[in-house]
Amino acid sequence: MTVSSTLVWFRLDLRLDDQPALHAAVARGGPVVPVYIWDPDAEGEWAPGAANRWWTHQALQRLESQLRDAGSRLVVRQGESLTVLRELIAETGASAVFWNRCYQPAIIARDADIKATLRDSGLEVHSFNGGLLFEPWTIRTRTGTPYRVFTPFSRACLAAPSPGSAIAPVERIPELSIWPESVALEDLELEPTIRWDAGLKATWDSQITRSNPVENGVHPEMLAGYRTDRDRPALPATSRLSPFLQIGAVSVRRLWSEVNGMVHGHPDPAVRLGGEGFQRQLLWREFAYHLLYHAPETVNAPLRPEFARFPWVRDADALCAWQQGRTGFPLVDAGMRQLWRTGWMHNRVRMLVGSFLVKDLRINWQEGARWFWQTLIDADLANNTMGWQWIAGCGADASPYFRIFNPTTQGERFDPDGAYVRQWVPELVGLPSTWIHRPSEAPEEVLANAGVRLGISYPLPMVDHAVAREAALAALATIKR
Ligand code: FAD
């Protein structure tokens, strides 16, 4: 008996390796039709931002080429997902639709509708886990409630049945004899027409074309330095795999098991510890998805309700200075410029710039979350929401609001020789390390020798940190009353 074709609907799983939906479709027999639908309206106000759209384009190009190598194609369409799926079902005679699950609240609701509607029309519809180690509903406290604190959550994950081994990449995909029409990727207009993306291209082009980003991002030497160096933004000490995980170009299950293989029985304890530390970060990602699933309202509202009363300051000029990296605090400015230029920022610096916005400037964390959403190529609703609520002290297991980073001493601690600042804030390149994080305190002669003209070539600090700190604590006191 000939089996009619299966549509495989690609979403945030743009790869052939460890691809449960594709794997199941091939195993079902019959032709397989890989499909991508550009349907940003389904995500409402959290539709992909400008930098992530650019990244989506690159990842789709990569997927197209992988599919071609496997004897197949990618059918690209745009429009309302259910309508497009129905058109494709009619055009190909497909009797089944498979996909890997997404966890953004709006997408969960949409997918549930699509599943019910297609099943009602007699189609075989299956969804799979292709994005997480532990799906949000599988990890529960002893009393059956979701977790709100990371450490017990991570312990529960480690005690749960293992995520299992990754599935080998699909090498040959059964072809359709007549392919449905596809629009060209360029027609989706994911790349900007005014080409502001040169820095993104320069940073990520070579990464996306690598056949194995996992091997490139994580290896024993990297793990050996992970614990000691992962907070040093000038060093290439972290994996930089976040964009690949966000779009699903890398499978988290593959990454997890590769790290297990690397550290298992490794003679160097630093590698073993580094592996543990790295896997802990992957569990933070799982925690973020757990929170997003169980508290979907947190994308727009603080998890801790008293923070809805926080007296945030509205100051468009201050927000703009922060966005453009003109605060007068070198590490903050370096981070914001790295973000603008490359679409990525080091985690330690994300925490610092976030703290500066919500504490030194007392601007609502949601303004920061929205700016990151537009500018990060790895913009991920779960990680971004958790990151900002953590910084603002209003999320689950968050850093308390009263713990306020000092942007100058953070610079001296994590960028001691100023290499990161020199890379991203070239107007300070000539300052000696002693003054690189405190240009406003440097002697006139030092500034003159370095060619720095405060207030002209580089801004004066936009706030007095000690004063701003007191104001932040006073604002916090008002919501506690
Ligand atoms: P590595 O250190 O190599 O870690 C490996 C992977 O673990 C990362 O790729 C990521 O998937 C996960 N991970 C690491 N740290 C965290 C963390 N703190 N929370 C959740 N997952 C983590 N990450 C995003 O992927 N998208 C975002 O939109 C995002 N927004 C953030 C906003 C703020 C305010 C903060 C403080 C953090 C945010 N993060 C976000 C988390 C973190 O900064 C990045 O995941 C990390 O910097 C990526 O670099 P890496 O891949 O080299 O990390």
Side-chain angles (χ1 to χ4, degrees):
M1 195 183 86
T2 52
V3 180
S4 51
S5 54
T6 307
L7 301 187
V8 175
W9 181 18
F10 283 82
R11 298 112 61 88
L12 292 178
D13 50 359
L14 306 187
R15 60 173 189 271
L16 301 197
D17 178 40
D18 192 31
Q19 227 307 352
L22 179 62
H23 184 81
V26 172
R28 180 174 180 261
V32 172
V33 189
V35 176
Y36 182 81
I37 306 169
W38 175 244
D39 178 16
D41 292 350
E43 293 169 79
E45 61 179 315
W46 296 106
N52 183 254
R53 288 161 66 116
W54 178 87
W55 180 245
T56 303
H57 182 99
Q58 318 309 312
L60 284 169
Q61 256 178 351
R62 182 170 190 267
L63 177 67
E64 269 189 336
S65 113
Q66 290 180 341
L67 285 167
R68 262 198 309 274
D69 291 347
S72 187
R73 302 185 188 181
L74 182 65
V75 177
V76 179
R77 294 276 173 100
Q78 51 186 329
E80 199 260 322
S81 297
L82 178 60
T83 310
V84 174
L85 286 171
R86 280 188 155 143
E87 285 165 5
L88 285 167
I89 290 162
E91 289 169 38
T92 60
S95 59
V97 183
F98 291 0
W99 66 75
N100 295 312
R101 287 185 279 277
C102 293
Y103 307 89
Q104 297 76 5
I107 299 301
I108 291 180
R110 179 202 63 185
D111 289 354
D113 272 356
I114 292 183
K115 199 182 258 185
T117 311
L118 293 181
R119 278 187 179 158
D120 282 350
S121 340
L123 274 104
E124 189 186 329
V125 185
H126 292 300
S127 67
F128 301 83
N129 171 18
L132 292 174
L133 298 167
F134 305 97
E135 289 191 290
W137 50 88
T138 63
I139 303 288
R140 293 269 179 180
T141 62
R142 239 180 262 141
T143 54
T145 53
Y147 279 94
R148 286 286 165 90
V149 182
F150 173 71
T151 302
F153 169 82
S154 66
R155 275 199 216 110
C157 290
L158 295 172
S162 125
S165 31
I167 312 168
V170 172
E171 280 177 3
R172 207 76 220 148
I173 301 173
E175 253 212 280
L176 203 62
S177 47
I178 303 169
W179 282 90
E181 297 266 308
S182 170
V183 301
L185 270 189
E186 287 64 33
D187 295 343
L188 303 183
E189 297 178 352
L190 302 179
E191 292 196 302
T193 35
I194 298 167
R195 300 311 298 242
W196 49 259
D197 55 336
L200 270 60
K201 263 186 176 314
T203 314
W204 298 100
D205 252 9
S206 62
Q207 310 278 339
I208 193 84
T209 51
R210 272 177 211 272
S211 61
N212 194 336
V214 174
E215 261 173 28
N216 182 45
V218 190
H219 40 80
E221 303 79 71
M222 175 267 182
L223 292 179
Y226 191 71
R227 286 238 162 175
T228 46
D229 295 341
R230 61 177 289 261
D231 278 328
R232 297 278 302 275
L235 304 178
T238 65
S239 71
R240 298 195 181 215
L241 285 174
S242 50
F244 293 86
L245 287 166
Q246 182 276 326
I247 203 79
V250 154
S251 141
V252 68
R253 211 154 47 152
R254 168 73 61 205
L255 188 55
W256 184 266
S257 58
E258 291 275 311
V259 173
N260 277 341
M262 252 174 244
V263 302
H264 184 73
H266 199 283
D268 182 352
V271 172
R272 297 201 300 273
L273 280 175
E276 242 172 56
F278 183 76
Q279 288 187 324
R280 191 177 156 83
Q281 293 315 117
L282 294 180
L283 292 180
W284 271 105
R285 175 176 179 270
E286 300 287 316
F287 188 49
Y289 276 86
H290 187 82
L291 294 173
L292 181 66
Y293 181 79
H294 293 291
E297 69 284 0
T298 54
V299 299
N300 288 321
L303 185 82
R304 297 163 62 132
E306 68 272 25
F307 272 84
R309 300 195 299 271
F310 195 93
W312 301 112
V313 169
R314 279 174 189 271
D315 184 339
D317 291 342
L319 178 62
C320 185
W322 176 80
Q323 290 170 336
Q324 295 181 347
R326 291 187 289 103
T327 68
F329 290 91
L331 191 57
V332 174
D333 293 341
M336 297 309 290
R337 295 186 201 183
Q338 178 182 34
L339 173 62
W340 181 251
R341 186 124 185 91
T342 71
W344 187 87
M345 193 199 299
H346 188 277
N347 181 59
R348 170 56 51 185
V349 192
R350 290 188 205 204
M351 294 198 286
L352 176 68
V353 302
S355 169
F356 188 81
L357 184 76
V358 300
K359 297 175 184 176
D360 288 79
L361 302 181
R362 295 199 312 289
I363 291 178
N364 195 331
W365 60 273
Q366 293 179 48
E367 295 284 358
R370 290 210 166 88
W371 181 252
F372 271 30
W373 192 253
Q374 286 305 323
T375 51
L376 277 174
I377 65 166
D378 68 17
D380 174 299
L381 195 57
N383 284 356
N384 198 44
T385 303
M386 181 182 72
W388 278 99
Q389 295 227 11
W390 189 90
I391 286 296
C394 61
D397 203 5
S399 166
Y401 185 91
F402 60 76
R403 215 170 276 157
I404 298 178
F405 288 138
N406 177 323
T408 306
T409 52
Q410 286 276 307
E412 290 169 342
R413 181 159 167 216
F414 296 110
D415 185 34
D417 54 4
Y420 179 73
V421 165
R422 287 195 186 87
Q423 181 178 2
W424 297 109
V425 189
E427 59 268 38
L428 299 180
V429 80
L431 274 185
S433 303
T434 328
W435 302 109
I436 188 99
H437 291 290
R438 35 181 93 233
S440 63
E441 294 166 40
E444 278 301 327
E445 196 192 328
V446 171
L447 290 172
N449 284 343
V452 177
R453 295 165 73 204
L454 284 181
I456 298 168
S457 71
Y458 183 72
L460 285 156
M462 65 187 290
V463 291
D464 175 333
H465 174 69
V467 175
R469 184 174 182 281
E470 290 311 314
L473 293 175
L476 178 69
T478 65
I479 66 165
K480 292 218 163 142
R481 256 180 239 138

